Amino acid sequence: MLSKTSLFRREMFKRDFRNVGWISILFFCGLAFTLPLQLLMAFNDEYRIEASGAGLFDPIFMFEVQFMLLFLMPVLMAVFLFRYIHVKGASDFIHSLPISREHLFRHHAFSGVILLIAPILLTSLILFMFFLFTNVSAFYSISQLGYWTLMMIILSILTFMICVFAGTLTGLSTVQAVLTYILMLLPAGIYVLVAVHLSFFIAGFSDLVVINHTVGNYSPLVNVFQYYPNDPQEGFLPVQYIMLGIYFIASIVFYFSGKAIYKKRPLEVASQTIAINVLKPVFQFGMTFCFALVGGTYFGETQLMLSWLIFGYVIGGIVGFFLSSMVLDKSWRVFRLQHFKGLFVYGATAGLIIGILPLFWLNYESYVPETSEVKNVYIGDNIYQLEELIENTSPDLIESEGAINAVIQLQKEMINQNDQFNSTGMMYFISYELKNGDHVQRSYQVDRKNVQETLKRVMETKEYKELTYPVLNSDPSKVQKVTLQPGGPVNKEVSILDPLQIQEFYQHVREDIYNLSYDQLIHPKGIRSHVSEVREGSDWTEEYYYPQDNSIYNSYENTVNWLKEEGFYEDAFIDEGEIDHVSIYPWGEAQNQYPREAYDQIVENESVEPFEIKDKKQIQTILLSSQEGEKGDYLVGIHYEDLKGGYYEVLTFDSSNAPGFVQNHFKDQQQ
């Protein structure tokens, strides 16, 4: 009896191989093309490419194609292996055989795993032979080969088991494949949507902060495809070992869940979208809830109005409910009374959950650390700015008690002033490192005028300037060359090469930055000159040591005077002699456009007569008074000498900064 059973199983495996063996062969061909073949080509001197050190996930080995195979082949394997349960005739025939359902499920699952693992092991064996008989140390190590094999096997099994589980939930093979990817993305998708939803209603809650490094933990697809081998020297892997362990456990859970459903799955559900009746309302509510969040996210982010946000929730929920009804009924004729009753039930439930969610985060909103708990603090625009700063430099964060206390007071005011729907509000990101090692990160969108006094206290501190302007902490002795290039269309630049002059240049720039007032920090006055530098040990130009888009301004008195003394100023900045004329227009109250858009519209409409200035001294005064900003009482068009009617720049200035002759001109016009 045992021999007959063993023979029968062998025949079943042969049958499975005849049905799906082509997928295993295709999988191997894909892996062989992306790995051994690419390795052979890399040995060719004419083709040789330097490896980045990312092992078998190096760009040389087409890691993107590897990932596509990793998440495509297991799905195809599961779909074709369990195709029979979705075809009524085949399902009736197979289940009429004297074989238990548990045995059928176990055997097909086992066959699929073997046929998926075999190409990976064979490819790994070929790569191991390369390792033994050739010098591949520049491309991968034995530990990297082991990691590649382990990761590919575990993720292949996980994807396969999720697809097998999805197949037991539906009666259609197409839906099985789609449902597989939905299941793999759903936790991460809900995580992102809920995070964005909370950011609209919880002051300080930043979806960027929450999503930035954690969303990959909720989806193997996201976890793998967010990988890029840009920092392999720090051991950056597509999937960390702890996550591989979690994925392996998840594979076992999906296997037993699928088997339990398969054993009780009615045969007549073949060709039905959802095979388990109890899951139909879950599916319909899930689509209603998710589409409501998607609609709210879209309209909330694009329109920045509470009314549009609510509109998005309502429209998204309606679309999600009726789409789910069409999927379940396999018909578009779902606009009947019974479905509208369901819409009310599911929509109300989804709306209730959406409304209740922010209530669980009220303590998060109100939490502000005590000064005595804080080790250091960072304040800037967003978390990406902080990460870039840490990546490029070793920043000295704010550590003095007075400055920390000023930031804490600023946060308390921002909690009350936060308005996520204020399109003119500025984004502020605060990151505390506490003495116990924890991090507290908050993000606020506020109108700067509402927190101006406290913000001024923070921004005028020496520590804030050193954090915001890395040039204050950089070592000029390591700089080999500084290049200044003026803005605008003028093709000129100046390079400072003498080490003593570089030291002096840094000294004057630092002095000017330390003297900047709050208003000058917010809106730098004057015209800019772009600064770049080449440092010791670098073959490329670095630009992150300078503030405000890597620029200095001609309002930096000490720096400008030194540049003039050394004969650099003429090539470092645009001066009044290179400008044909300046056209000034008053800017109305409706400042919902960028300055250049508003300027172009006024010129096109010819609705206002400009104050045109050609006097070089007056132009010089205007250049020192103007600022680059999105608001101002006057629009200033800078038209260049050699480009009449061509290129021009648009700056602004407020009435308080406007030169007297500008104010007098427009006063005379009003009289």
Side-chain angles (χ1 to χ4, degrees):
M1 187 68 176
L2 275 174
S3 62
K4 288 183 180 179
T5 305
S6 177
L7 179 64
F8 186 74
R9 289 177 178 172
R10 192 157 44 246
E11 290 301 319
M12 287 181 66
F13 181 80
K14 289 180 181 178
R15 182 178 180 277
D16 284 342
F17 184 77
R18 284 195 297 269
N19 289 338
V20 298
W22 64 273
I23 299 174
S24 185
I25 295 171
L26 185 61
F27 193 12
F28 172 72
C29 290
L31 293 177
F33 174 77
T34 58
L35 291 155
L37 180 60
Q38 299 302 316
L39 184 60
L40 279 172
M41 294 170 66
F43 285 138
N44 184 348
D45 289 335
E46 295 181 4
Y47 178 82
R48 184 176 294 275
I49 301 175
E50 293 297 327
S52 69
L56 294 171
F57 295 106
D58 192 279
I60 291 175
F61 299 116
M62 306 168 69
F63 67 94
E64 300 98 335
V65 178
Q66 291 185 54
F67 295 159
M68 290 177 63
L69 293 170
L70 182 60
F71 290 107
L72 177 61
M73 294 303 161
V75 172
L76 290 176
M77 185 71 71
V79 167
F80 281 95
L81 266 178
F82 288 87
R83 168 71 177 159
Y84 69 92
I85 68 174
H86 300 146
V87 180
K88 186 166 176 34
S91 178
D92 292 341
F93 171 74
I94 294 295
H95 291 106
S96 67
L97 297 174
I99 309 171
S100 69
R101 288 196 180 191
E102 182 176 357
H103 179 78
L104 279 171
F105 183 86
R106 183 171 61 244
H107 173 80
H108 289 308
F110 178 77
S111 296
V113 169
I114 293 298
L115 292 172
L116 285 172
I117 290 178
I120 299 172
L121 292 178
L122 184 55
T123 305
S124 181
L125 178 61
I126 295 172
L127 293 171
F128 181 67
M129 298 302 290
F130 272 108
F131 181 83
L132 290 179
F133 298 108
T134 61
N135 182 13
V136 295
S137 58
F139 300 98
Y140 61 91
S141 64
I142 193 66
S143 62
Q144 289 173 326
L145 175 58
Y147 171 82
W148 178 88
T149 306
L150 179 66
M151 192 200 96
M152 295 294 285
I153 287 175
I154 289 179
L155 282 174
S156 293
I157 294 174
L158 174 65
T159 306
F160 175 74
M161 288 304 174
I162 292 176
C163 192
V164 170
F165 172 76
T168 64
L169 302 179
T170 181
L172 297 170
S173 296
T174 305
V175 175
Q176 177 186 4
V178 173
L179 192 57
T180 300
Y181 294 113
I182 290 176
L183 288 173
M184 296 180 79
L185 290 170
L186 185 63
I190 292 179
Y191 180 76
V192 170
L193 291 172
V194 169
V196 175
H197 167 66
L198 292 175
S199 70
F200 286 118
F201 297 99
I202 302 299
F205 188 96
S206 170
D207 51 329
L208 293 179
V209 173
V210 174
I211 295 168
N212 193 32
H213 294 299
T214 58
V215 66
N217 296 335
Y218 297 90
S219 168
L221 267 171
V222 177
N223 198 0
V224 170
F225 278 101
Q226 71 180 0
Y227 166 81
Y228 189 80
N230 58 344
D231 212 6
Q233 66 273 17
E234 296 185 3
F236 181 47
L237 303 173
V239 182
Q240 299 300 317
Y241 283 102
I242 188 171
M243 292 306 300
L244 288 177
I246 293 172
Y247 291 158
F248 181 72
I249 295 172
S251 302
I252 297 173
V253 172
F254 278 113
Y255 168 78
F256 283 105
S257 300
K259 185 172 72 171
I261 296 173
Y262 182 85
K263 288 166 66 175
K264 297 184 178 181
R265 188 177 187 273
L267 297 181
E268 61 271 13
V269 297
S271 78
Q272 291 188 21
T273 306
I274 301 296
I276 310 301
N277 288 330
V278 71
L279 293 180
K280 291 181 179 179
V282 176
F283 171 78
Q284 195 154 27
F285 172 75
M287 282 196 67
T288 305
F289 178 72
C290 290
F291 271 75
L293 287 177
V294 169
T297 297
Y298 174 77
F299 287 103
E301 291 281 1
T302 56
Q303 300 301 313
L304 290 177
M305 293 177 62
L306 180 61
S307 57
W308 277 103
L309 177 69
I310 296 172
F311 172 79
Y313 288 142
V314 174
I315 293 299
I318 292 173
V319 171
F321 175 81
F322 282 109
L323 277 179
S324 64
S325 299
M326 293 176 190
V327 170
L328 292 174
D329 294 355
K330 293 191 291 186
S331 170
W332 61 270
R333 297 178 179 178
V334 294
F335 301 99
R336 299 190 295 270
L337 180 61
Q338 66 183 50
H339 285 105
F340 281 98
K341 291 180 179 178
L343 172 63
F344 176 78
V345 173
Y346 289 120
T349 305
L352 182 63
I353 294 175
I354 289 173
I356 288 176
L357 273 174
L359 300 180
F360 293 99
W361 294 82
L362 294 180
N363 290 335
Y364 177 98
E365 180 180 64
S366 60
Y367 175 72
V368 180
E370 298 292 333
T371 305
S372 58
E373 300 175 330
V374 178
K375 178 182 178 182
N376 57 58
V377 61
Y378 168 85
I379 178 169
D381 296 338
N382 53 61
I383 188 172
Y384 300 126
Q385 190 182 61
L386 172 60
E387 291 178 345
E388 182 180 1
L389 187 66
I390 293 173
E391 181 181 348
N392 292 328
T393 65
S394 299
D396 294 324
L397 303 180
I398 297 173
E399 295 183 347
S400 71
E401 183 176 340
I404 290 174
N405 188 58
V407 175
I408 289 175
Q409 183 60 38
L410 178 64
Q411 184 194 351
K412 290 178 180 178
E413 293 184 19
M414 285 183 172
I415 291 174
N416 298 323
Q417 297 294 335
N418 184 73
D419 184 1
Q420 193 69 24
F421 302 104
N422 182 3
S423 59
T424 62
M426 302 297 297
M427 294 298 302
Y428 293 94
F429 171 71
I430 300 174
S431 178
Y432 299 98
E433 182 183 355
L434 304 185
K435 292 178 180 178
N436 62 7
D438 292 340
H439 287 81
V440 177
Q441 297 178 324
R442 298 292 187 268
S443 183
Y444 302 94
Q445 184 164 327
V446 299
D447 188 333
R448 188 185 289 127
K449 293 180 180 178
N450 295 333
V451 293
Q452 183 166 302
E453 291 304 315
T454 309
L455 185 61
K456 180 178 179 180
R457 282 179 52 203
V458 173
M459 294 183 67
E460 289 186 347
T461 62
K462 178 175 178 287
E463 287 181 288
Y464 175 84
K465 291 179 179 178
E466 290 175 349
L467 179 63
T468 308
Y469 302 89
V471 66
L472 297 175
N473 301 310
S474 62
D475 185 358
S477 65
K478 295 182 179 179
V479 178
Q480 295 178 326
K481 181 174 76 170
V482 174
T483 301
L484 291 86
Q485 185 174 26
V490 181
N491 185 23
K492 62 180 183 179
E493 66 178 30
V494 62
S495 294
I496 305 173
L497 300 172
D498 182 79
L500 181 59
Q501 289 181 321
I502 290 175
Q503 292 270 1
E504 292 176 351
F505 173 75
Y506 268 78
Q507 178 184 343
H508 291 295
V509 170
R510 288 170 173 171
E511 186 176 352
D512 284 321
I513 292 175
Y514 279 127
N515 290 333
L516 291 177
S517 66
Y518 168 78
D519 291 332
Q520 291 171 316
L521 290 167
I522 296 298
H523 296 299
K525 291 182 176 60
I527 55 175
R528 69 172 64 196
S529 179
H530 182 86
V531 184
S532 60
E533 61 185 34
V534 176
R535 304 179 72 80
E536 280 183 7
S538 297
D539 296 327
W540 59 84
T541 301
E542 299 185 7
E543 300 178 337
Y544 52 78
Y545 282 90
Y546 290 85
Q548 303 293 342
D549 298 326
N550 312 310
S551 301
I552 61 173
Y553 292 80
N554 66 347
S555 58
Y556 286 19
E557 291 184 8
N558 293 290
T559 305
V560 166
N561 290 335
W562 180 84
L563 289 171
K564 289 179 178 178
E565 290 174 4
E566 300 295 329
F568 295 134
Y569 181 82
E570 184 177 346
D571 291 325
F573 284 95
I574 292 172
D575 60 31
E576 62 276 8
E578 294 166 310
I579 295 173
D580 178 71
H581 69 277
V582 171
S583 295
I584 301 177
Y585 293 91
W587 198 3
E589 296 181 0
Q591 297 181 0
N592 56 355
Q593 296 174 293
Y594 290 109
R596 189 176 186 90
E597 293 175 338
Y599 186 90
D600 290 343
Q601 184 174 326
I602 293 173
V603 172
E604 182 180 349
N605 294 338
E606 298 181 348
S607 55
V608 179
E609 187 71 24
F611 178 29
E612 191 170 291
I613 301 171
K614 291 194 173 185
D615 182 89
K616 300 303 181 182
K617 289 186 177 180
Q618 289 184 333
I619 290 176
Q620 182 183 28
T621 303
I622 289 171
L623 292 180
L624 290 170
S625 304
S626 302
Q627 63 190 27
E628 295 183 3
E630 296 180 7
K631 292 184 179 180
D633 297 316
Y634 298 97
L635 294 166
V636 182
I638 310 294
H639 296 262
Y640 291 89
E641 180 73 35
D642 296 331
L643 295 166
K644 294 180 180 180
Y647 182 90
Y648 59 92
E649 292 184 279
V650 179
L651 305 177
T652 66
F653 50 60
D654 296 323
S655 297
S656 57
N657 298 322
F661 59 85
V662 174
Q663 296 185 38
N664 293 335
H665 172 83
F666 286 104
K667 282 181 181 178
D668 293 341
Q669 276 196 337
Q670 292 174 357
Q671 292 176 354

